Amino acid sequence: MNNFTYCTPTRYLFGRNTESETGRLAKEYLGDPRKVLVVSGGSSAKKSGLLDCVTTSLRNAGIEIVGMEGIKPNPTDDRVYEGIALCRKHGVEAVIGVGGGSVIDTAKAIALGVPYDGDFWDFYAGKLTPEKALPIGVVLTIPAAGSEGSGNSVITKIDGLHKISLRSDFALRPKFAVMNPELTYTLPPYQTACGIADMMAHVMERYFTPTEHVEVTDGISEGLLRSIIAVAPCVFANPQDYDARANIMWAGTMAHNGICGCGRTEDWVSHFMEHELSAVYDVAHGAGLAVVFPAWLTYMANVAPARPARFAREVMGVPSTFDERTDALSGIERLKAFYRSIGLPVTLRELGVENADISLLVKKLHENKGEIIGGYHKLDAEATEEIYRLMV
Amino acid sequence: MNNFTYCTPTRYLFGRNTESETGRLAKEYLGDPRKVLVVSGGSSAKKSGLLDCVTTSLRNAGIEIVGMEGIKPNPTDDRVYEGIALCRKHGVEAVIGVGGGSVIDTAKAIALGVPYDGDFWDFYAGKLTPEKALPIGVVLTIPAAGSEGSGNSVITKIDGLHKISLRSDFALRPKFAVMNPELTYTLPPYQTACGIADMMAHVMERYFTPTEHVEVTDGISEGLLRSIIAVAPCVFANPQDYDARANIMWAGTMAHNGICGCGRTEDWVSHFMEHELSAVYDVAHGAGLAVVFPAWLTYMANVAPARPARFAREVMGVPSTFDERTDALSGIERLKAFYRSIGLPVTLRELGVENADISLLVKKLHENKGEIIGGYHKLDAEATEEIYRLMV
């Protein structure tokens, strides 16, 4: 087991009607701000009345609101600059994201940029480590990215389509996260499925590790993955199944708050490869992951089958044949079958990407992430090209 | 799934040599105190040089130290009063516990008592809810109680031998916990085993729940229990197996930081019953739990076998016979065999308690905890008497 630091200071308020507590939480945990920026996405939070409920709760707590709407999936740097300018103009003291990962990641980038004199992109470009940010609160509507409990934020720079993930153990963790599973009843099936693929990937990127003897972290990760796979069908059978929605929502947080990474080296190649896909082809991140992971696992079944075999046996329920490669390949078939059962693509073609420009993807991948990538198994450009080809 | 709040703000520094960082952590996370109370237990922390290392680290950070040594297992209120007086006399601003659960629980009680004008026991007697305390730091030497990451503290009032557990979601959580598995190499086998029984009990008290559809929390709990059972033999085969010690240490924290309870009603009867045993007969808490749990489960196999059967199948690896009671009983046999394999007693006689005064135990239990107790299944005095009799 590796040495590690672990701290998840986010306060989760989980359950029915919790969104009406946003004002109290903002007062108590965002440093009693006079004015907050409320960042939100498309029209659904408005139509459902959620945005009204949250702003009323904030106003009742004596907090003034500056609004910023219309954050899109794969959020871009232009909206971050806009948000930073808004905060400075109005003297905003805290940022609240009402939405899913794109909204929350944008809220985090804005919160980080406001107290920094230079270009916020410096942090994403790796020139600086985040030390301080405006306090951040969250009302979650999409279980997927895990951003409500993580120190991560992914932003795409429009100039050059660089999609970069920033990770800061502490500065970017939300102070509170309001999580009402009922808010996810109206999520369309495809978006629900993408979220499930995303949270599974967050566990898997940590689970595929070269570190041995991390039994506790393995046990937690496997239990979490199994529970997601067990509950997922219920959400599609009945989108208003409160308990199923609640389990999926909580799983999304647990998948990415760090608990599945304690004591081990993580991988993250599949996320890196997907980020290039969604930056170039603007596909949904979760759907992209459902395409990348089986290909990555297929490559690994040949060169490093130990963990893929364990994944197959412990998570996908494959009976052991005592041959790692065989079991790993059976596990991949089961994983693909699961993705398909919830309506996800497992090839680039099914994802709607015909004739992908694999050379461009490989070039951008290694430009952004270095010549050799991967925590579980080191990969050069030749290897990642082969993995992209396995997705076709 | 029930509504819940969850927050685990403790910062864990886990790994080799981490104890030498205590000074930096105290400065950074205990509010830059000028003077701290360092609470410790028996002579082992002194003999091993740990206490020296910690105090040197604190002094190097410019922090003055007031020491308080000799905290015993099943810690008592007299030492808490003594600690509170010491803190007030010397103007101590933070409390650091160097030891296991008894030391940390005493440190918490002192930290809670210092800023309160009345008798600190008011909190344990349920007259008041903890709101503020001196900041608390921990250097853990015994993986068992999980007190390093929990909001709990158990203190025994000498007058009447009332052993009471106080739970406060926030005020009593340590700000940091230093966890070096090497510090546990010298723990005697019996104490190691007691710690393992204690952490397993912390998961099981939450796992045995009437709440349905908590798949994620169940998955995490089962994974955690399985990993403890898998790793435990390695610790006894080689007490200096770093990875095995590390997994057991981290499991102790995960077992009791709340993650296994999210979204459900918990039980805690076995702990309550054991607290009476150890208050009256001064037995080791973990050994007491190894005696109580099989008896409690045996009673449940007859009146509420659903969860004991799931426990048997998912944790103890019992192949399903499709009969809950049968599987539950098989699981209990495997649990007892596991306890015995690590050197623990599973009956009162084996625990060294001959002719236990069961009437007294039952009387004190219900005096302290109420007429009807139990989250999983309600128990009156007749039922708890039967369970105590099953332990003989």
Side-chain angles (χ1 to χ4, degrees), chain B residues 51-74:
Chain B
L51 213 50
D52 265 351
C53 171
V54 167
T55 52
T56 303
S57 171
L58 287 165
R59 287 209 181 89
N60 287 346
I63 299 169
E64 280 180 65
I65 294 159
V66 179
M68 179 169 146
E69 300 180 9
I71 302 301
K72 298 217 172 80
N74 296 323

Side-chain angles (χ1 to χ4, degrees), chain A residues 189-201:
Chain A
Y190 188 66
Q191 214 176 341
T192 301
C194 286
I196 288 170
D198 195 14
M199 61 184 73
M200 287 176 68

Side-chain angles (χ1 to χ4, degrees), chain B residues 200-277:
Chain B
M200 286 176 67
H202 290 155
V203 186
M204 289 154 72
E205 297 282 16
R206 293 170 165 99
Y207 184 75
F208 291 104
T209 174
T211 314
E212 295 192 344
H213 301 300
V214 278
E215 282 86 353
V216 168
T217 302
D218 270 344
I220 290 171
S221 305
E222 289 164 354
L224 186 52
L225 284 169
R226 275 195 300 258
S227 66
I228 295 170
I229 292 170
V231 167
C234 308
V235 173
F236 296 94
N238 175 12
Q240 305 208 6
D241 180 333
Y242 178 85
D243 287 318
R245 287 286 191 186
N247 274 284
I248 291 297
M249 194 173 214
W250 189 231
T253 305
M254 288 293 106
H256 206 32
N257 78 346
I259 199 175
C260 295
C262 287
R264 61 183 170 199
T265 303
E266 306 178 356
D267 190 69
W268 293 101
V269 160
S270 299
H271 260 73
F272 297 162
M273 295 186 80
E274 196 295 315
H275 281 175
E276 300 312 328
L277 274 181

Side-chain angles (χ1 to χ4, degrees), chain B residues 321-340:
Chain B
T321 65
F322 301 97
D323 181 75
E324 287 181 341
R325 186 169 171 277
T326 304
D327 293 351
L329 292 174
S330 304
I332 296 162
E333 287 312 306
R334 290 194 183 194
L335 179 66
K336 285 201 272 190
F338 170 75
Y339 285 148
R340 283 210 168 99

Side-chain angles (χ1 to χ4, degrees), chain A residues 1 3-9 11-12 14-16 170 213-216 219 223 226-227 243 247 250 254 259, chain B residues 1 3-9 11-12 14-16 170 213-216 219 223 226-227 243 247 254 259:
Chain A
M1 196 190 285
N3 281 16
F4 64 91
T5 317
Y6 181 65
C7 182
T8 52
R11 186 168 303 239
Y12 302 102
F14 192 102
R16 294 175 209 268
F170 306 112
H213 301 299
V214 279
E215 282 86 354
V216 168
R226 275 195 300 261
S227 67
D243 288 317
N247 274 285
W250 188 233
M254 288 293 105
I259 199 175
Chain B
M1 197 191 284
N3 280 16
F4 65 91
T5 317
Y6 180 66
C7 183
T8 53
R11 185 167 305 239
Y12 303 103
F14 192 103
R16 293 182 158 95
F170 307 111
H213 301 300
V214 278
E215 282 86 353
V216 168
R226 275 195 300 258
S227 66
D243 287 318
N247 274 284
M254 288 293 106
I259 199 175

